[in-house]
Amino acid sequence: MRTDVHAHLWSEGYLRLLESYGRQEAAAHRGLGAGDSAQDLEARFAMNDAAGFDHQEAPDVVEKPTEAARRMWYDTVAHGHVPAVRAAAASYGADRLLLGTDFPYQSGHRLRRAVEFLEEALPPERAEGVLTAGTRLIRRREA
């Protein structure tokens, strides 16, 4: 079976933040097993593995979602929500994160916040790695 598997992390704090912006659908995400703990994420991958998902987006790549998740890159678009980035780093590894900004939808102080909050969420060397990951990937591809 081929599918595009998404493993969103919906922490309670992030859902409250969405609700504070008037997002009605935030309530629908509660209780769906998409919490921000490592156990929630592992359970989601195990459920996909058990359902027989053996292909991801690329039809020529045959691997389970659990395996694919460990080789993918994840952007840090979290709208300044520090716990979301910490959960992503704990779940996937900070070495699998790269800067995400939602530009042009976030600009000005919100764009700056997309960078600054990484420095609050992660130790300095990890934050620097996330901020430079995109450049390193491009340079590696060009080499």
Side-chain angles (χ1 to χ4, degrees):
M1 178 185 304
R2 191 175 312 149
T3 187
D4 178 8
V5 177
H6 289 80
H8 294 281
L9 296 176
W10 298 98
S11 72
E12 185 59 33
Y14 186 65
L15 291 173
R16 282 193 303 273
L17 178 67
L18 290 176
E19 289 172 330
S20 75
Y21 289 121
R23 301 296 300 261
Q24 301 290 330
E25 70 275 10
H29 296 294
R30 286 189 174 86
L32 293 179
D36 61 352
S37 73
Q39 295 86 356
D40 287 333
L41 192 60
E42 288 299 324
R44 301 252 330 262
F45 290 141
M47 181 178 63
N48 288 334
D49 289 350
F53 295 150
D54 55 8
H55 287 78
Q56 294 294 308
E57 301 113 46
D60 57 334
V61 176
V62 180
E63 63 186 343
K64 293 182 176 186
T66 307
E67 296 164 357
R70 304 292 184 241
R71 68 169 179 76
M72 291 182 176
W73 290 89
Y74 303 90
D75 72 40
T76 59
V77 174
H79 308 283
H81 190 62
V82 170
V85 169
R86 287 183 179 156
S91 297
Y92 305 120
D95 61 324
R96 303 309 298 172
L97 303 179
L98 55 98
L99 175 64
T101 64
D102 256 1
F103 181 84
Y105 305 106
Q106 288 183 326
S107 60
H109 77 279
R110 289 188 178 127
L111 182 60
R112 284 189 297 280
R113 180 74 183 135
V115 174
E116 293 168 351
F117 95 106
L118 293 173
E119 295 167 339
E120 295 171 28
L122 302 170
E125 67 280 355
R126 293 291 189 191
E128 180 67 21
V130 171
L131 293 170
T132 60
T135 302
R136 285 181 283 124
L137 288 170
I138 291 168
R139 287 184 178 156
R140 190 169 65 190
R141 258 191 106 122
E142 290 175 347

